[in-house]
Amino acid sequence: MFKTSSGRSTLRTLTLILVLLVLLPAIFYSAYEIGALTQSENLIERIYRQQLDAALFSLNQYAWDIADRWASDVDRIVRGARSSSRPLSQHAFNSFLSSNRGIHALFVGDTAATTFIVVSSSRPDSARRKHTDSEVRSLIRSQHAVVERLVRLQSTGYRKIEGVAIGQGTPGQSTGLLFLIEIAPGRLLLSGILLDAESFVLDVLRRKLDEAAEGEFLLSVVRKADNRQVYATGPLTPGEERQAKDLWLFPDYSLGIRLKGQTIEEIVRERFYRNLSLLMVLDIMIVIGVWFVYRTVRREMELSQLKSDFVSNVSHELRTPLALIRMFGETLEMGRVPGEEKKQEYYATIVRETERLTGLVNNILNFSRMESGKKEYQFSSVDLNGVVQKVLSSYQSHLEHLGFGLKTGIAPALPSILADAEAVSEALLNVMDNAIKFSNDNKTITIRTGLTDRTVYIEVEDHGIGIPPEEQSKIFEKFYRVSSGLVHDIRGSGLGLTLVRHIMDAHKGEISVHSRVGEGSTFRLSFPIRS
Ligand code: ADP
């Protein structure tokens, strides 16, 4: 659209300013906000992990203390029996077993599982299951690697207790807590306390779990193999824990945690998405605003470009007929014209050019009236065919003079319309004037009138240069002239069709165009039939 490079560079500067001042800060701010929101999400995640770690640590520590106390008791009983040279028997452990709920049985023997004794609790609630010698033997053998590790640690002076699962996969089955007893330097016995992990959790850890939850969190112990919940401090569906970690003593069980009610994460996430959508709406509004400003400024610039074109076009339009009138006038004044016929030709040219000037000045005046809203129409009942015929009769000689062949197709007996006859003539003249201007070799113009369901129309068809499809909606804008191709050399103000459209609007009618480049154009002025 912009023909001058200054127009283009102004638009580029404007785009740059808009992008730098409005879009970039908006994008930066959005990116910052999204970053901040992700950060707070991470922070919440960290708080959870810390809380879980703390709860887990205190639980583990508690379970560990109990296990350690048990191991010390067994250690003491075994040493006591040895020092009094009594053989180890069920009897020696009776009071230990009866005072510690949850323990089913225990065994003491050598680390290779050749000789050992198994003692079972006589408490009715814990004696759920009797352990046979062969079972214990196969347990010790299967935990060969664990035993070796215990031996290694023991050599550094550290007694460790290892929790191992027995009879994995079956609920109510036992867990073994394995540890070593050093009866003499370098002489080690292997002992194992057999208990049901789940009853341990329910009987011993339960209170501790409730304490650790502190009313704010939900804690649960879940068996990992089948994700079955053993205990939860409140309603916590398995799978909804936010974090989970293994229990030291019972490696096949895990402890899970989440916040009571709506979790912080959910709150944060909700806030995150709400803020994000608000940001998006804001960004979209900014983009629309920027686009609007850009478009308005661009339009204004296009219009000022069109106006300056208009001034140069009109000056050109005025200069040519004025020069002709002056030349012929001077020639006549000097009496240098030879024959009467030639004189008449000169007079006719002067009159024609004066008419052109009048037409142009009228167009400009009408346009300015129209722009200021002062253009008035005198409506009366009008016969469209009559208007067309009147225009044609006064225009025919002009057309013939220019070498145009005129074809007409006047529809008989059109219903009359409510119109301003003079304005309709003016519209028709403008369209015909264009048909003449934009025709080249094929100088045939067809004028038709006709009737559709609701309208009567006048059509002006030419076989001229035609209008590219993308320009067809623009040619009715003020000052607009197609700038491509041949049109460059054809004079005009860019006001003709603007006036026609204004006149048609005033009549509640419309102007339409059907055109193909290189084949010609047909303009149709349709007027509503009076109901
Ligand atoms: P002007 O004719 O003074 O340039 P108009 O408003 O009458 O202004 O027309 C606007 C533009 O539409 C013209 O400059 C021309 O490019 C195009 N146009 C109008 N009528 C025709 C036609 N019959 N054939 C080809 N182009 C046309």
Side-chain angles (χ1 to χ4, degrees), residues 59-302:
L59 274 168
N60 275 330
Q61 196 60 47
Y62 182 70
W64 185 263
D65 286 347
I66 292 173
D68 196 46
R69 210 175 57 234
W70 288 345
S72 302
D73 287 350
V74 173
D75 189 296
R76 197 167 21 78
I77 295 167
V78 172
R79 281 166 196 273
R82 275 192 68 87
S83 60
S84 59
S85 312
R86 266 185 282 120
L88 274 177
S89 64
Q90 168 90 32
H91 179 74
F93 292 100
N94 266 351
S95 97
F96 170 74
L97 287 174
S98 61
S99 59
N100 288 299
R101 288 163 53 116
I103 299 180
H104 294 179
L106 64 83
F107 69 85
V108 182
D110 59 54
T111 50
T114 24
T115 49
F116 55 85
I117 62 152
V118 180
V119 290
S120 295
S121 166
S122 56
R123 290 173 62 94
D125 57 338
S126 43
R128 251 176 261 170
R129 199 170 179 290
K130 293 277 178 221
H131 292 273
T132 63
D133 287 5
S134 65
E135 246 181 12
V136 171
R137 182 170 292 118
S138 70
L139 163 72
I140 300 173
R141 290 192 175 151
S142 69
Q143 298 301 332
H144 184 65
V146 174
V147 175
E148 268 188 2
R149 193 162 59 240
L150 290 175
V151 172
R152 251 195 333 273
L153 286 168
Q154 188 74 32
S155 65
T156 63
Y158 174 64
R159 186 183 67 196
K160 178 144 194 322
I161 302 169
E162 281 276 2
V164 296
I166 314 170
Q168 275 165 345
T170 325
Q173 283 292 27
S174 298
T175 296
L177 304 178
L178 304 186
F179 55 95
L180 294 175
I181 302 168
E182 192 163 14
I183 40 170
R187 281 209 58 201
L188 297 174
L189 288 181
L190 175 68
S191 177
I193 293 175
L194 306 180
L195 72 159
D196 181 23
E198 298 187 10
S199 4
F200 184 82
V201 169
L202 291 174
D203 300 340
V204 184
L205 288 189
R206 184 189 201 132
R207 199 171 42 81
K208 208 65 194 162
L209 277 166
D210 290 340
E211 257 174 47
E214 285 174 345
E216 274 180 56
F217 293 92
L218 291 172
L219 289 171
S220 70
V221 175
V222 169
R223 194 167 74 150
K224 291 196 294 186
D226 53 3
N227 207 22
R228 187 172 50 79
Q229 199 171 62
V230 180
Y231 176 68
T233 57
L236 174 56
T237 327
E240 281 192 349
E241 305 89 358
R242 296 301 313 168
Q243 295 265 330
K245 279 194 172 174
D246 289 354
L247 285 168
W248 287 343
L249 278 187
F250 311 111
D252 46 343
Y253 289 84
S254 72
L255 177 69
I257 190 170
R258 72 167 275 152
L259 252 192
K260 256 189 183 164
Q262 203 186 21
T263 68
I264 304 180
E265 271 146 315
E266 278 157 7
I267 298 168
V268 168
R269 193 160 300 138
E270 209 182 279
R271 209 192 66 191
F272 177 85
Y273 286 117
R274 200 180 47 233
N275 287 1
L276 200 68
S277 32
L278 273 176
L279 266 180
M280 296 251 249
V281 169
L282 206 72
D283 285 350
I284 290 171
M285 276 164 68
I286 289 175
V287 169
I288 292 175
V290 167
W291 168 241
F292 198 71
V293 171
Y294 173 82
R295 218 186 54 170
T296 314
V297 174
R298 198 189 142 94
R299 277 229 177 125
E300 282 302 313
M301 288 173 69
E302 279 175 3

Side-chain angles (χ1 to χ4, degrees), residues 482-497:
V482 177
S483 53
S484 59
L486 294 166
V487 195
H488 243 5
D489 312 326
I490 303 166
R491 288 178 295 159
S493 60
L495 289 183
L497 289 180

